[in-house]
């Protein structure tokens, strides 16, 4: 009974502390809330960099590496850069919430497709071993690639993932596909006009040499 009362007292004190902190956080200025979230992302970037780039040699480093490489495989090396990008975006353009949401959705699509492709190209589809997971796309790549390859085989799974990756790029860069087609046409016409100009210059040079 004494231990039960002590546990209730600790739980009540902990709950009151959490409610007090959350109430204070809600009363903070919105700009401070955004800055606090951005600093939290920077901390996550430092933690992921310590585990992936600098090989933190202790229990915490082992847990970080197991979580990141087990989750997304080789893409774990890019997680610090992704965290830093979103943190800098919150610091520099805190009012562009819609653009940040769009970029977040596009980044998730890129992450899903990239881990799936990494898992397929590594030959880790259907293999749940530690080496296959960390050398491929991790559990995320396993979850994306295994059912897709099981239903469609690599012949269709790879083009589908590549097209979805391209769609993610369009979402991140806020570029509609019609604009991409227009740019490709302009590049084609530019190359064609440059080739015609070179051909005309070459013919003019030949005529000059003959007349000379």
């Amino acid at each position: 009974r004494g231990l039960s009362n002590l546990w209730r007292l600790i739980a009540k004190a902990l709950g009151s502390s959490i409610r007090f902190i959350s109430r204070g956080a809600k009363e903070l200025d919105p700009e401070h809330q955004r800055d606090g979230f951005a600093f939290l992302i920077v901390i996550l970037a430092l933690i992921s960099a310590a585990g992936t780039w600098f090989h933190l040699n202790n229990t915490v480093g082992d847990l970080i590496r197991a979580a990141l490489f087990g989750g997304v495989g080789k893409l774990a090396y890019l997680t610090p850069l992704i965290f830093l990008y979103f943190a800098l975006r919150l610091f520099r353009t805190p009012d562009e919430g819609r653009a940040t949401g769009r970029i977040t959705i596009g980044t998730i699509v890129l992450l899903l497709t990239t881990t799936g492709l990494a898992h397929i190209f590594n030959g880790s589809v259907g293999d749940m071993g530690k080496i296959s997971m960390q050398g491929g796309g991790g559990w995320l790549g396993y979850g994306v690639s295994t059912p897709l390859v099981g239903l469609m085989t690599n012949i269709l799974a790879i083009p589908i993932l590549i097209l979805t990756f391209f769609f993610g790029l369009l979402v991140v860069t806020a570029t509609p596909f019609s604009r991409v087609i227009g740019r490709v046409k302009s590049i084609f016409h530019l190359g064609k006009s440059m080739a015609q100009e070179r051909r005309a210059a070459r013919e003019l040079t030949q005529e000059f040499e003959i007349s000379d």
Side-chain angles (χ1 to χ4, degrees), residues 10 25 46 48 51 53 56 60 63 78 93-94 98 112 117 128 151 164 169:
I10 294 173
L46 293 175
S48 59
W53 294 353
L56 190 63
V60 176
L63 290 175
L78 298 179
T93 56
R98 294 182 60 183
L112 291 173
L117 288 171
M128 300 177 65
L151 290 173
T164 310
L169 285 178

Side-chain angles (χ1 to χ4, degrees), residues 10-66:
I10 294 173
K12 186 176 180 180
L14 183 61
S16 300
S17 301
I18 293 174
R19 283 192 294 270
F20 175 77
I21 294 173
S22 62
R23 194 182 306 116
K26 289 180 181 178
E27 293 176 356
L28 282 175
D29 188 85
E31 293 183 358
H32 288 158
Q33 293 181 11
R34 286 193 296 265
D35 290 342
F37 186 62
F39 277 116
L40 176 61
I41 296 177
V42 171
I43 292 172
L44 292 176
L46 293 175
I47 292 174
S48 59
T52 56
W53 294 353
F54 303 109
H55 302 287
L56 190 63
N57 192 17
N58 56 21
T59 304
V60 176
D62 294 339
L63 290 175
I64 294 171
R65 282 191 293 273

Side-chain angles (χ1 to χ4, degrees), residues 42 58 76 94 115 130 133 139-140 143 149 157 172-173 177 182 194 204:
V42 171
N58 56 21
T115 53
K130 179 180 178 181
M133 287 294 182
W139 282 102
L140 188 60
V149 172
V172 170
T173 58
F177 187 68
M194 291 177 64
L204 182 62

Side-chain angles (χ1 to χ4, degrees), residues 71-76 78 82 106-122 135-138 140-142 144-145 148 157-158 160-166 168-169:
V72 296
K74 289 183 178 179
L75 265 74
L78 298 179
I82 296 173
T107 304
I108 292 173
V109 173
L110 293 177
L111 185 63
L112 291 173
T113 53
T114 307
T115 53
L117 288 171
H119 218 66
I120 293 175
F121 291 145
N122 191 57
L140 188 60
Y142 178 88
V144 171
S145 63
L148 198 59
I158 293 175
I160 288 173
L161 289 175
I162 291 175
L163 289 174
T164 310
F165 177 84
F166 180 67
L169 285 178

Side-chain angles (χ1 to χ4, degrees), residues 204-212:
L204 182 62
T205 303
Q206 291 176 354
E207 291 178 359
F208 175 77
E209 290 176 352
I210 294 172
S211 62
D212 184 64

